Amino acid sequence: MATGRLRAVILALAAASAIAVLSATAISDVYTEAQRPPQTFLTHTGAVITTTGEVLDPIYQVSEVEFDPDEYLRNFEYGRVSVHNETGQTIREYVIVAEDDLVQEVAPGVFYNVWTFNGTVPGPTIRATEGDLVRITFVNNGTKPHTMHFHGIHPAIMDGVFEPVGGGGGQFTYEFEAGPVGVHPYHCHIMPLEEHIIHGLYGVFIVDPEEGRAPADELVMVLNGFDTDFDTENNFYAANTVPFYYQHHPIQIERDRLIRVYVVNMVEFDPINNFHLHGNLFYYYPTGTDQSASFYTDMITLSQTERGIMEFTYEHTGKFLFHAHKVEFSEKGWVGVFLVKDSGTGEEEEEDGGGGSDGDYNDGGNGDGYADTGESSGAAGEQARDVTGPAAAYDGREAPDGA
Amino acid sequence: MTDGRRPMAHEQGRGLPGHGGSAGRLRVAASGAAPLALVVILVLYVSGPGSTMLEVGVPLPEVTIERVDFVGSEILATVRNTGPIPVSIAVADVNDRIHPAAVEPDARLERYETAVVRIPFDWNVAEPYTIGITTDDGTRFEREVESAAPALRPSGELVALFAVIGTYVGVIPVLIGLLWLPFIRRMGRQVYVFFLAVTVGLLFFLALDSVEEAVDVSQENLAGSFNGLMLLATSVVVSFLGLFYAGERLSGSRGTGDGRRAGEGDGRAGSGAPPQLAGPMAIALMISIGIGLHNFGEGLAIGAAVGLGSVAFSSFLVVGFAIHNVTEGVAIVAPLSRKRVAVWKLAGLGVLAGAPAIFGGWVGGFAYSPIASVIFLGVGAGAIFQVMVVLVRWIGRGDSSANGSNARGASGGSGLSGAPFAGGIVAGMLIMYVTSILV
C-alpha cells in the first residue's frame, strides 16, 4: 500500500506540475530578444510615444518601396517620336510590358502581389498631343491574359476588350490617333475586370490640346487603393499608391506659380472618392476636355475612373493639406501636403534644359521633406516646361525609350 | 509503469529461454524506445533543413489579439502569432483607421511569440472599439471591445477591492450555507438522502456551468491553434482522474469493500474505527476542494470581466453571485450531517471552498490569461465531477445498507432508486438555475 500512496503522490505532483507549466507559458509572454533602450517618437498624428520597441508609422519609416511616388508625380512619357513621311503626323511609339507576378511593398511593411504595366502601379503616364499617332507595342509577360483599354476615341479593334493578349510573351500593337483632349485612364480589360484593376493594371493617358496649355508645374495624381486581404474592401488608400507618402514627403511647389494636377480616380469597391484642397480653391475641368473651367471649388467628388484637371495658385507659403474628405480614406493613407515656398530669385521662367531628369524631383527620401530648400528652386524651375508651343516642341524632351 | 513492464518482461523471458531477467528488460526498453527514435528521425527528415519535398500548399499567417488594455491615452493590444509561419506586424488601426503605433519588443513574431502594440489614442470611456492589426502580407486581424474601461493596475486599493468582492461572493455565502447543518442533521434518512441528492444536482449544475464558461472563453479569446475545447476536455479528465485516484488512495486505502463497511460505520456516527480522512469528512473535504476550484474559476471570470471592462460590476451582480453560492455551503454540510464535526473544521471547509474566489479575482483582474482560465475552469469541472461520483456512491451505500430494513424497489426507497434521490437532483439543478438568473 505504500507504493500506492507513493504513486498517488507522484501522479498528483505530475498533474500539478503539468498544469503549472501550461499556465506559466500561457500567462507569461515569450520574449526572444533583449529590450532596447527606450526612444521617443513624434507620430504623424502629433502623439508622442516612448518605446523600447519598433514604431509602426508610415511617416517615420524610411521608404523602401520599389515605386517612387515623387518620381511618378512629375513623370510624363512622350514616347519615341518620329514624323510620318507623307502626312507630317507625329508618331509616338511606346513599349508597355505587363506582368502579374511581382510582389511589391505597397505600404511600408506590407507586401502585395501587384500586376503592373512596365513594373509599376500605376503604369507610366502616356502623354501625346491631340492628333498624334500613338503606337503601343504591348507585351504580356504575365501568366494571365491582359490587354490595354484606353478611354478615348479609337477603332473597335483597338479597344482592348475582345482581343485578349495571352501571357508568356503575347503581343499586340495598339494604334490610334490621340483624342479627345483631356486626361483619361487606361487599364486592363480582361474579365474578371475588378480583379485585374485592383491588382494595379491601370495608368494615365494625357492628350494635350494642339495649342497647348498655360505654363504650369504639372502633377499627376492617381487616387487608388489596395485590398490586401481580399475582402472586397480597401485596406489602404493613397494618391499615387503609397499611403501617407506625400504627408511624409510634402510636394514642394512655388508660391504664385500655376499648379496643374491631372487627377484620376481608380479606387474600386467604394462608389466615390474625393479631393479636398486646403487654404485654396481650384479651377476644375472635368475630364479636361473643355478649355473653360466648370467649377471653382475646393472639393470635387469622383466616381470610378472619373477624372479631371485642377488648376490653382497659392498666395501663401507654408504647408497645406490635401486629402479625401471621405475621411476614412484619408485616415487609411489618402492624404498629402503641399509645401508652398517662395520662388527665391523670382526668375522661374528659365527654359528647361534638363532633358527630363525627373529623378531630381525626388527629395531623396530624407525623412521629412522639409529641410532641402536648396534643391527646390532648381527642381521647380525644371517644371517650367513650355507647353504652349506646337507639338514639335515636345520632341526635344521625350523620354528615352518610351518604356 | 514498472508494474506494466514487469509481467511483459516475465513473459518474454519465458518465451525466450536462456535470456536473463536484466537482458530481457533491456530488450523491452529498447523495443519501447525504438519507435520513438523512428518518430524523431521522421520529424527531423521531414522538417529538417533542406527538406522541401513536403512544401505543398500555402501556409496562411494568423495573429490573435489576446487582450486590449486602455491605459492613459494609449490602447495596448497584446498580439500573439498563432499561425504556422513567422509574421511581421506592419500596421495598427483603431476602428479601421490607421494609427501610428509602437510594437514592443519588436514587430517580427515567431510562432506563438507575443508583442504589445501601443497605439496612442485618446479613447473615450464606455465606447466600443475595434482594434486591428495588419501583417506584412496585408491580412488584417481585429478584436472588438464592447466598452472601453481603464485597465486595472495592481494597487493596494484594487487588491483590497477584489478581496472584498471575493469574500462577499465566495467566503460569506458558503459559510452561511454551512449553517444549514443543524437543520439537515435533524432530518430523517430520506430527507438526508434528499439533501445529498440536492448537492449532486448543485454540483452537476456547477460543473456544466464551468464547462460552458470555459467553452465561451476558448471560443472568444483563444486562437484556434490552442485547441481550446480539447484543452478543456483534457483538463477535465486529468483533474477528474487525478482527484479520483488520489481520493481513493487517501480515503479508502483499504479498497472498495472495506470502504463500504467504513461508510456503514460512519453512518452510525463513529461506532467503528474510521481512519482520519475516511467517510463523510473526506467527502466534505473533496467537495470543498472541488467547489474551491470552481470558485477560483468564478473569481477569474469576475476579475477578468472587471479588468477587461466587459461588465459593469455592480452590487447587483455581487448579490446574485452571493445567493447562488449559498447553495454551495449546503453541498459541503450535507454529507456531514450524520457526523459530529468541530466548528473550526467546518469553517475551514467553508474557507477552502470560498476563498479561492478572492485569488481568482486577483489573477483574473491583473494577469488575465485565456489559456489559464480554460485550464482552471476545466480542472474545477473535473474536480466537481469527481465529487459527484463520490456522493452518488455514498448514497448508493445507503441502498445496500437500507436493504435490510426496507423492501427493495419500494417507492419510499432511500438510495439511488428512491424518489428522494431523483427529486433532490432535480431540486438542486432548479435551485442553481433560478439563482443563476440573478447573476
Side-chain angles (χ1 to χ4, degrees), chain A residues 47-220:
Chain A
V48 175
I49 189 164
T50 300
T51 178
T52 56
E54 295 174 38
V55 167
L56 305 176
D57 185 352
I59 297 289
Y60 274 87
Q61 301 259 0
V62 174
S63 179
E64 291 167 357
V65 289
E66 286 97 325
F67 171 75
D68 184 344
D70 281 319
E71 189 180 321
Y72 178 81
L73 185 68
R74 290 181 168 109
N75 188 51
F76 302 97
E77 299 292 351
Y78 292 91
R80 190 163 67 84
V81 178
S82 57
V83 177
H84 196 281
N85 288 335
E86 296 163 18
T87 62
Q89 185 183 32
T90 302
I91 302 170
R92 298 187 183 274
E93 292 177 283
Y94 300 83
V95 176
I96 302 284
V97 179
E99 289 172 282
D100 52 27
D101 60 350
L102 299 178
V103 175
Q104 290 186 356
E105 197 174 2
V106 292
V110 176
F111 297 83
Y112 179 71
N113 170 215
V114 286
W115 299 1
T116 57
F117 289 127
N118 284 5
T120 60
V121 180
T125 300
I126 297 170
R127 189 160 186 175
T129 303
E130 186 180 25
D132 288 353
L133 184 72
V134 177
R135 183 180 295 147
I136 293 167
T137 304
F138 175 62
V139 182
N140 181 3
N141 280 345
T143 57
K144 297 175 163 64
H146 297 297
T147 63
M148 290 183 80
H149 161 73
F150 285 80
H151 288 213
I153 299 169
H154 46 246
I157 188 80
M158 297 300 164
D159 199 37
V161 173
F162 303 113
E163 307 79 22
V165 182
Q171 288 203 13
F172 191 90
T173 301
Y174 296 99
E175 194 173 292
F176 50 84
E177 254 184 31
V181 166
V183 52
H184 311 291
Y186 67 85
H187 57 87
C188 176
H189 213 296
I190 292 292
M191 298 300 287
L193 181 55
E194 186 176 72
E195 182 187 23
H196 285 249
I197 291 178
I198 62 172
H199 275 86
L201 287 171
Y202 47 80
V204 176
F205 174 45
I206 296 171
V207 182
D208 290 313
E210 277 189 58
E211 65 278 17
R213 295 183 189 273
D217 182 1
E218 296 194 313
L219 315 172
V220 181

Side-chain angles (χ1 to χ4, degrees), chain A residues 73-74 76 214-219 251-254 257-262 310 312 361 379-380 382-385:
Chain A
L73 185 68
R74 290 181 168 109
F76 302 97
D217 182 1
E218 296 194 313
L219 315 172
I251 298 172
Q252 303 192 25
I253 57 176
E254 285 177 47
R257 180 175 169 80
L258 180 63
I259 309 296
R260 179 177 297 126
V261 181
Y262 297 92
M310 303 162 52
F312 53 91
Y361 303 130
E382 212 165 316
Q383 297 310 299
R385 207 167 40 70

Side-chain angles (χ1 to χ4, degrees), chain A residues 338-371:
Chain A
F338 282 118
L339 178 60
V340 184
K341 294 176 168 181
D342 268 320
S343 52
T345 57
E347 269 304 312
E348 64 258 41
E349 301 304 319
E350 58 186 299
E351 269 300 311
D352 169 31
S357 171
D358 300 285
D360 290 351
Y361 303 130
N362 184 359
D363 69 9
N366 65 350
D368 60 17
Y370 295 76

